[in-house]
Amino acid sequence: MSLNPSSNGTPGNPGNPLSARVADPVPLRRETPWQQGLREFLRSKSAILGLVLLVVLIFAALAAPWISPQNPYDLGQLNILDSRLAPGTENVDGHYTYWLGTDGQGRDLLSGIIYGLRISLSVGVGSALIAGILGTILGLVAAYAGGRVDATLMRLVDLLLSFPSILVALMILAYVGKGIGNVVLTLVVLEWAYFARTARGQALVESRREYVEAARCQAIPNWRIVLGHILPNCLPSLIVVGTLQVARAITLEATLSFLGLGVPVTEPSLGLLIFNGYQTMLSGEYWISVYPGLALLVTVVAINLVGDRLRDVFNPRLQK
Protein backbone atom coordinates (compact mmCIF):
# COMPACT_ATOMS: atom_id res chain seq x y z
CA MET A 1 0.00 0.00 0.00
CA SER A 2 1.48 3.35 -1.07
CA LEU A 3 1.87 6.05 1.53
CA ASN A 4 2.79 8.76 -1.00
CA PRO A 5 0.71 11.86 -0.07
CA SER A 6 0.61 12.83 -3.70
CA SER A 7 -1.76 9.95 -4.40
CA ASN A 8 -4.25 10.31 -1.56
CA GLY A 9 -6.72 12.39 -3.63
CA THR A 10 -7.29 15.01 -0.94
CA PRO A 11 -8.39 18.52 -1.96
CA GLY A 12 -5.08 19.90 -0.64
CA ASN A 13 -3.14 17.89 -3.25
CA PRO A 14 -1.85 20.29 -5.92
CA GLY A 15 -1.97 17.51 -8.46
CA ASN A 16 -5.65 16.91 -7.94
CA PRO A 17 -7.71 18.38 -10.89
CA LEU A 18 -10.70 19.00 -8.56
CA SER A 19 -8.46 21.07 -6.31
CA ALA A 20 -7.27 23.09 -9.28
CA ARG A 21 -10.81 23.84 -10.34
CA VAL A 22 -11.80 24.93 -6.83
CA ALA A 23 -8.73 27.09 -6.40
CA ASP A 24 -9.27 29.00 -9.64
CA PRO A 25 -10.49 32.54 -8.89
CA VAL A 26 -14.00 33.27 -10.15
CA PRO A 27 -14.10 36.58 -12.04
CA LEU A 28 -16.61 38.96 -10.53
CA ARG A 29 -18.99 40.72 -12.88
CA ARG A 30 -18.52 44.45 -12.60
CA GLU A 31 -21.71 46.48 -12.18
CA THR A 32 -22.48 49.31 -14.54
CA PRO A 33 -23.22 52.75 -13.04
CA TRP A 34 -26.91 52.31 -13.85
CA GLN A 35 -26.99 48.91 -12.09
CA GLN A 36 -25.29 50.43 -9.06
CA GLY A 37 -27.82 53.27 -9.09
CA LEU A 38 -30.72 50.81 -9.24
CA ARG A 39 -29.30 48.82 -6.35
CA GLU A 40 -28.85 51.96 -4.25
CA PHE A 41 -32.34 53.15 -5.18
CA LEU A 42 -33.95 49.91 -3.99
CA ARG A 43 -32.34 50.23 -0.57
CA SER A 44 -34.82 52.96 0.37
CA LYS A 45 -38.25 51.69 1.45
CA SER A 46 -39.83 55.11 0.98
CA ALA A 47 -38.51 55.29 -2.58
CA ILE A 48 -39.92 51.83 -3.34
CA LEU A 49 -43.27 52.91 -1.90
CA GLY A 50 -43.24 56.04 -4.04
CA LEU A 51 -42.33 54.04 -7.13
CA VAL A 52 -45.13 51.50 -6.52
CA LEU A 53 -47.68 54.29 -6.02
CA LEU A 54 -46.46 56.06 -9.14
CA VAL A 55 -46.73 52.89 -11.23
CA VAL A 56 -50.27 52.29 -9.96
CA LEU A 57 -51.29 55.87 -10.74
CA ILE A 58 -49.80 55.74 -14.22
CA PHE A 59 -51.51 52.43 -14.93
CA ALA A 60 -54.84 53.81 -13.74
CA ALA A 61 -54.42 56.89 -15.92
CA LEU A 62 -53.55 54.86 -19.02
CA ALA A 63 -56.35 52.34 -18.44
CA ALA A 64 -58.97 54.97 -17.61
CA PRO A 65 -61.36 54.12 -20.49
CA TRP A 66 -61.49 50.48 -19.37
CA ILE A 67 -61.55 50.74 -15.57
CA SER A 68 -63.70 53.84 -15.06
CA PRO A 69 -67.44 53.25 -14.58
CA GLN A 70 -68.20 56.49 -16.41
CA ASN A 71 -66.65 58.80 -18.97
CA PRO A 72 -66.84 62.16 -17.16
CA TYR A 73 -65.98 64.04 -20.37
CA ASP A 74 -69.03 62.67 -22.18
CA LEU A 75 -71.85 65.08 -21.34
CA GLY A 76 -74.38 62.54 -22.59
CA GLN A 77 -73.54 60.22 -19.68
CA LEU A 78 -74.07 62.89 -17.02
CA ASN A 79 -77.38 63.21 -15.22
CA ILE A 80 -78.12 66.36 -13.23
CA LEU A 81 -80.33 64.29 -10.93
CA ASP A 82 -77.17 62.51 -9.74
CA SER A 83 -75.43 65.72 -8.68
CA ARG A 84 -73.83 65.97 -5.22
CA LEU A 85 -74.62 62.42 -4.16
CA ALA A 86 -72.78 61.14 -1.09
CA PRO A 87 -70.18 58.36 -1.41
CA GLY A 88 -71.72 54.90 -1.72
CA THR A 89 -74.98 56.13 -3.29
CA GLU A 90 -76.41 54.40 -6.35
CA ASN A 91 -77.31 56.41 -9.42
CA VAL A 92 -80.88 57.21 -10.35
CA ASP A 93 -81.15 54.23 -12.69
CA GLY A 94 -79.52 51.88 -10.18
CA HIS A 95 -76.93 50.65 -12.68
CA TYR A 96 -73.83 51.30 -10.57
CA THR A 97 -72.72 52.89 -7.30
CA TYR A 98 -70.87 56.17 -6.90
CA TRP A 99 -68.22 54.94 -4.48
CA LEU A 100 -66.70 58.42 -4.04
CA GLY A 101 -69.89 60.38 -4.67
CA THR A 102 -70.58 62.92 -7.41
CA ASP A 103 -69.94 66.61 -7.97
CA GLY A 104 -72.35 69.39 -8.86
CA GLN A 105 -72.56 68.29 -12.52
CA GLY A 106 -73.48 64.68 -11.67
CA ARG A 107 -69.97 63.53 -12.55
CA ASP A 108 -68.73 60.34 -10.86
CA LEU A 109 -65.78 61.47 -8.74
CA LEU A 110 -63.94 58.16 -9.04
CA SER A 111 -64.09 58.38 -12.82
CA GLY A 112 -63.26 62.08 -12.70
CA ILE A 113 -60.16 61.43 -10.58
CA ILE A 114 -58.92 58.67 -12.87
CA TYR A 115 -59.44 60.78 -15.98
CA GLY A 116 -58.07 63.82 -14.17
CA LEU A 117 -54.87 61.90 -13.49
CA ARG A 118 -54.46 61.46 -17.24
CA ILE A 119 -54.52 65.20 -17.81
CA SER A 120 -52.38 66.08 -14.79
CA LEU A 121 -49.72 63.48 -15.59
CA SER A 122 -49.79 64.30 -19.31
CA VAL A 123 -49.35 68.00 -18.64
CA GLY A 124 -46.62 67.40 -16.06
CA VAL A 125 -44.61 64.85 -18.03
CA GLY A 126 -45.14 66.58 -21.38
CA SER A 127 -44.08 70.01 -20.17
CA ALA A 128 -41.07 68.62 -18.28
CA LEU A 129 -39.95 66.63 -21.32
CA ILE A 130 -40.18 69.57 -23.72
CA ALA A 131 -38.59 71.95 -21.22
CA GLY A 132 -35.85 69.40 -20.53
CA ILE A 133 -34.93 69.07 -24.19
CA LEU A 134 -34.97 72.83 -24.77
CA GLY A 135 -33.17 73.72 -21.54
CA THR A 136 -30.53 71.01 -21.99
CA ILE A 137 -29.68 72.19 -25.49
CA LEU A 138 -29.41 75.82 -24.41
CA GLY A 139 -27.38 74.90 -21.32
CA LEU A 140 -24.92 72.82 -23.34
CA VAL A 141 -24.57 75.58 -25.93
CA ALA A 142 -23.93 78.17 -23.21
CA ALA A 143 -21.29 76.02 -21.50
CA TYR A 144 -19.44 75.03 -24.65
CA ALA A 145 -19.65 78.35 -26.49
CA GLY A 146 -18.90 80.58 -23.51
CA GLY A 147 -18.36 84.32 -23.88
CA ARG A 148 -21.32 86.48 -24.84
CA VAL A 149 -23.53 83.49 -25.67
CA ASP A 150 -23.09 82.08 -22.17
CA ALA A 151 -23.58 85.48 -20.51
CA THR A 152 -26.73 86.26 -22.51
CA LEU A 153 -28.42 82.92 -21.87
CA MET A 154 -27.57 82.86 -18.18
CA ARG A 155 -28.81 86.42 -17.64
CA LEU A 156 -32.06 85.37 -19.29
CA VAL A 157 -32.25 82.39 -16.94
CA ASP A 158 -31.60 84.60 -13.91
CA LEU A 159 -34.27 87.04 -15.06
CA LEU A 160 -36.86 84.30 -15.50
CA LEU A 161 -36.09 82.67 -12.15
CA SER A 162 -36.29 85.98 -10.31
CA PHE A 163 -40.08 86.22 -10.81
CA PRO A 164 -42.63 84.08 -8.94
CA SER A 165 -43.73 81.19 -11.15
CA ILE A 166 -47.43 81.57 -10.41
CA LEU A 167 -47.32 85.28 -11.32
CA VAL A 168 -45.63 84.62 -14.67
CA ALA A 169 -48.05 81.77 -15.40
CA LEU A 170 -51.09 83.93 -14.66
CA MET A 171 -49.77 86.68 -16.93
CA ILE A 172 -49.16 84.29 -19.82
CA LEU A 173 -52.48 82.46 -19.54
CA ALA A 174 -54.39 85.70 -19.13
CA TYR A 175 -53.02 86.68 -22.55
CA VAL A 176 -53.16 83.39 -24.47
CA GLY A 177 -56.26 81.95 -22.77
CA LYS A 178 -56.99 78.63 -21.07
CA GLY A 179 -56.46 75.23 -22.64
CA ILE A 180 -54.24 72.17 -22.24
CA GLY A 181 -51.85 73.29 -24.97
CA ASN A 182 -51.52 76.77 -23.50
CA VAL A 183 -50.90 75.35 -20.02
CA VAL A 184 -48.13 73.11 -21.37
CA LEU A 185 -46.60 76.08 -23.21
CA THR A 186 -46.69 78.16 -20.03
CA LEU A 187 -45.05 75.43 -17.97
CA VAL A 188 -42.32 75.00 -20.57
CA VAL A 189 -41.54 78.72 -20.34
CA LEU A 190 -41.28 78.39 -16.57
CA GLU A 191 -39.29 75.14 -16.44
CA TRP A 192 -36.63 75.29 -19.14
CA ALA A 193 -34.43 77.62 -17.07
CA TYR A 194 -33.91 74.94 -14.38
CA PHE A 195 -32.71 72.44 -16.96
CA ALA A 196 -30.51 75.04 -18.67
CA ARG A 197 -28.76 75.99 -15.44
CA THR A 198 -28.23 72.35 -14.44
CA ALA A 199 -26.97 71.32 -17.89
CA ARG A 200 -24.60 74.30 -18.04
CA GLY A 201 -23.14 73.59 -14.61
CA GLN A 202 -22.56 69.92 -15.34
CA ALA A 203 -21.21 70.64 -18.82
CA LEU A 204 -18.67 73.13 -17.44
CA VAL A 205 -17.37 70.46 -15.06
CA GLU A 206 -17.25 67.76 -17.74
CA SER A 207 -15.62 70.02 -20.34
CA ARG A 208 -12.49 70.18 -18.14
CA ARG A 209 -12.12 66.41 -17.97
CA GLU A 210 -9.27 64.59 -19.66
CA TYR A 211 -11.49 62.67 -22.06
CA VAL A 212 -12.84 65.93 -23.51
CA GLU A 213 -9.30 67.24 -24.02
CA ALA A 214 -8.37 63.96 -25.68
CA ALA A 215 -11.39 64.23 -28.00
CA ARG A 216 -10.40 67.75 -28.98
CA CYS A 217 -6.85 66.63 -29.74
CA GLN A 218 -8.28 64.03 -32.13
CA ALA A 219 -10.06 66.79 -34.08
CA ILE A 220 -13.52 65.39 -33.27
CA PRO A 221 -16.28 67.87 -34.25
CA ASN A 222 -17.65 69.96 -31.42
CA TRP A 223 -21.20 68.65 -31.81
CA ARG A 224 -19.97 65.07 -31.41
CA ILE A 225 -18.01 66.00 -28.28
CA VAL A 226 -21.07 67.68 -26.77
CA LEU A 227 -23.62 65.01 -27.68
CA GLY A 228 -21.42 61.93 -27.45
CA HIS A 229 -19.19 62.73 -24.49
CA ILE A 230 -20.50 65.60 -22.35
CA LEU A 231 -24.26 65.01 -22.56
CA PRO A 232 -24.25 61.36 -21.35
CA ASN A 233 -22.37 62.41 -18.21
CA CYS A 234 -24.92 65.18 -17.56
CA LEU A 235 -27.94 62.88 -17.78
CA PRO A 236 -28.06 61.72 -14.12
CA SER A 237 -28.46 65.28 -12.81
CA LEU A 238 -30.95 66.12 -15.56
CA ILE A 239 -33.04 63.05 -14.73
CA VAL A 240 -33.26 64.15 -11.10
CA VAL A 241 -34.26 67.69 -12.11
CA GLY A 242 -36.81 66.33 -14.58
CA THR A 243 -38.45 64.10 -11.97
CA LEU A 244 -38.84 66.96 -9.51
CA GLN A 245 -40.05 69.30 -12.25
CA VAL A 246 -42.85 66.87 -13.14
CA ALA A 247 -44.19 67.15 -9.59
CA ARG A 248 -43.80 70.93 -9.70
CA ALA A 249 -45.62 71.14 -13.04
CA ILE A 250 -48.53 69.02 -11.77
CA THR A 251 -48.87 71.23 -8.70
CA LEU A 252 -48.69 74.42 -10.75
CA GLU A 253 -51.23 73.15 -13.26
CA ALA A 254 -53.61 72.25 -10.42
CA THR A 255 -53.18 75.76 -9.00
CA LEU A 256 -53.90 77.39 -12.34
CA SER A 257 -56.95 75.19 -12.91
CA PHE A 258 -58.19 75.97 -9.41
CA LEU A 259 -57.91 79.67 -10.24
CA GLY A 260 -59.87 79.16 -13.46
CA LEU A 261 -57.01 79.70 -15.94
CA GLY A 262 -55.98 76.10 -16.55
CA VAL A 263 -57.72 73.32 -18.42
CA PRO A 264 -61.27 73.76 -19.79
CA VAL A 265 -64.32 72.76 -17.79
CA THR A 266 -65.18 69.97 -20.23
CA GLU A 267 -61.87 68.19 -19.49
CA PRO A 268 -61.27 68.71 -15.77
CA SER A 269 -57.94 67.92 -14.15
CA LEU A 270 -57.45 67.26 -10.44
CA GLY A 271 -57.13 70.99 -9.76
CA LEU A 272 -60.42 71.77 -11.46
CA LEU A 273 -62.15 68.93 -9.61
CA ILE A 274 -60.99 70.49 -6.34
CA PHE A 275 -62.30 73.85 -7.49
CA ASN A 276 -65.74 72.37 -8.26
CA GLY A 277 -66.40 71.57 -4.61
CA TYR A 278 -64.42 73.92 -2.41
CA GLN A 279 -67.41 76.26 -1.98
CA THR A 280 -69.54 73.47 -0.49
CA MET A 281 -66.94 71.89 1.82
CA LEU A 282 -68.29 73.58 4.93
CA SER A 283 -71.86 72.58 4.08
CA GLY A 284 -71.13 68.86 4.51
CA GLU A 285 -70.33 67.98 0.87
CA TYR A 286 -66.66 67.48 1.63
CA TRP A 287 -66.08 64.61 -0.83
CA ILE A 288 -66.25 66.83 -3.92
CA SER A 289 -62.92 68.48 -3.06
CA VAL A 290 -61.32 66.16 -0.52
CA TYR A 291 -60.96 63.06 -2.69
CA PRO A 292 -59.42 64.85 -5.72
CA GLY A 293 -57.16 66.68 -3.27
CA LEU A 294 -56.00 63.40 -1.76
CA ALA A 295 -55.32 62.01 -5.25
CA LEU A 296 -53.25 65.08 -6.08
CA LEU A 297 -51.36 64.80 -2.78
CA VAL A 298 -50.55 61.11 -3.31
CA THR A 299 -49.35 61.79 -6.85
CA VAL A 300 -47.04 64.64 -5.89
CA VAL A 301 -45.68 62.81 -2.83
CA ALA A 302 -44.97 59.66 -4.87
CA ILE A 303 -43.05 61.63 -7.51
CA ASN A 304 -41.12 63.55 -4.86
CA LEU A 305 -40.15 60.35 -3.04
CA VAL A 306 -38.74 58.93 -6.27
CA GLY A 307 -37.04 62.21 -7.18
CA ASP A 308 -35.46 62.68 -3.75
CA ARG A 309 -34.05 59.16 -3.81
CA LEU A 310 -32.67 59.65 -7.31
CA ARG A 311 -30.95 62.81 -6.11
CA ASP A 312 -29.33 60.88 -3.26
CA VAL A 313 -28.26 58.04 -5.54
CA PHE A 314 -26.66 60.25 -8.17
CA ASN A 315 -25.04 62.53 -5.57
CA PRO A 316 -23.41 60.35 -2.87
CA ARG A 317 -22.52 63.43 -0.79
CA LEU A 318 -26.23 63.85 0.00
CA GLN A 319 -26.63 60.31 1.32
CA LYS A 320 -27.16 60.02 5.05
Side-chain angles (χ1 to χ4, degrees):
M1 179 177 181
S2 176
L3 299 178
N4 187 359
S6 61
S7 61
N8 58 6
T10 59
N13 183 4
N16 188 356
L18 178 61
S19 176
R21 289 195 299 268
V22 173
D24 289 339
V26 179
L28 298 177
R29 183 179 178 183
R30 187 175 181 180
E31 289 184 330
T32 64
W34 294 104
Q35 290 175 337
Q36 294 177 357
L38 179 60
R39 178 169 52 83
E40 291 294 330
F41 179 88
L42 295 178
R43 287 184 177 180
S44 174
K45 295 181 179 180
S46 61
I48 296 176
L49 175 61
L51 182 61
V52 171
L53 289 175
L54 189 57
V55 170
V56 171
L57 293 173
I58 293 176
F59 172 78
L62 294 177
W66 297 278
I67 65 176
S68 298
Q70 180 191 76
N71 184 359
Y73 301 156
D74 186 3
L75 300 180
Q77 297 185 19
L78 303 183
N79 190 342
I80 194 63
L81 297 178
D82 291 334
S83 62
R84 298 179 179 178
L85 295 180
T89 306
E90 293 185 353
N91 67 333
V92 176
D93 300 330
H95 293 163
Y96 54 85
T97 303
Y98 297 118
W99 296 110
L100 298 183
T102 61
D103 59 8
Q105 288 76 36
R107 184 185 294 113
D108 178 29
L109 274 181
L110 177 60
S111 302
I113 290 173
I114 296 175
Y115 274 85
L117 279 172
R118 303 184 76 185
I119 294 182
S120 297
L121 291 174
S122 299
V123 170
V125 175
S127 61
L129 182 61
I130 298 174
I133 295 174
L134 177 61
T136 300
I137 293 175
L138 294 177
L140 293 176
V141 170
Y144 204 81
R148 293 183 177 179
V149 176
D150 184 17
T152 302
L153 288 175
M154 289 303 102
R155 296 299 76 75
L156 180 60
V157 169
D158 294 338
L159 178 64
L160 183 60
L161 296 180
S162 63
F163 291 97
S165 299
I166 186 64
L167 177 61
V168 177
L170 290 175
M171 293 173 59
I172 296 175
L173 288 175
Y175 179 77
V176 301
K178 63 173 61 178
I180 296 179
N182 292 336
V183 172
V184 172
L185 176 63
T186 302
L187 295 177
V188 170
V189 173
L190 296 174
E191 291 180 346
W192 72 268
Y194 294 94
F195 291 95
R197 174 172 288 182
T198 303
R200 174 185 177 272
Q202 291 295 319
L204 287 176
V205 174
E206 297 297 329
S207 61
R208 299 184 179 94
R209 304 283 188 183
E210 292 79 3
Y211 67 89
V212 176
E213 296 295 334
R216 289 171 178 167
C217 294
Q218 296 177 7
I220 297 178
N222 291 334
W223 66 271
R224 288 187 59 186
I225 295 177
V226 173
L227 297 181
H229 295 77
I230 296 179
L231 178 59
N233 291 283
C234 298
L235 286 180
S237 298
L238 293 173
I239 291 175
V240 174
V241 174
T243 304
L244 298 177
Q245 287 302 310
V246 170
R248 179 174 178 268
I250 292 175
T251 305
L252 190 55
E253 181 276 326
T255 304
L256 294 172
S257 297
F258 183 84
L259 296 176
L261 290 175
V263 298
V265 180
T266 55
E267 297 181 356
S269 65
L270 295 178
L272 191 57
L273 290 175
I274 298 173
F275 169 77
N276 289 337
Y278 86 98
Q279 294 179 342
T280 60
M281 286 187 62
L282 298 180
S283 63
E285 299 172 353
Y286 62 91
W287 60 87
I288 303 178
S289 289
V290 169
Y291 291 139
L294 291 176
L296 178 63
L297 177 63
V298 171
T299 304
V300 174
V301 169
I303 297 175
N304 282 328
L305 288 176
V306 175
D308 289 342
R309 184 55 183 171
L310 289 176
R311 181 182 58 186
D312 295 339
V313 168
F314 290 126
N315 190 354
R317 290 178 297 180
L318 297 177
Q319 293 184 5
K320 298 180 180 180

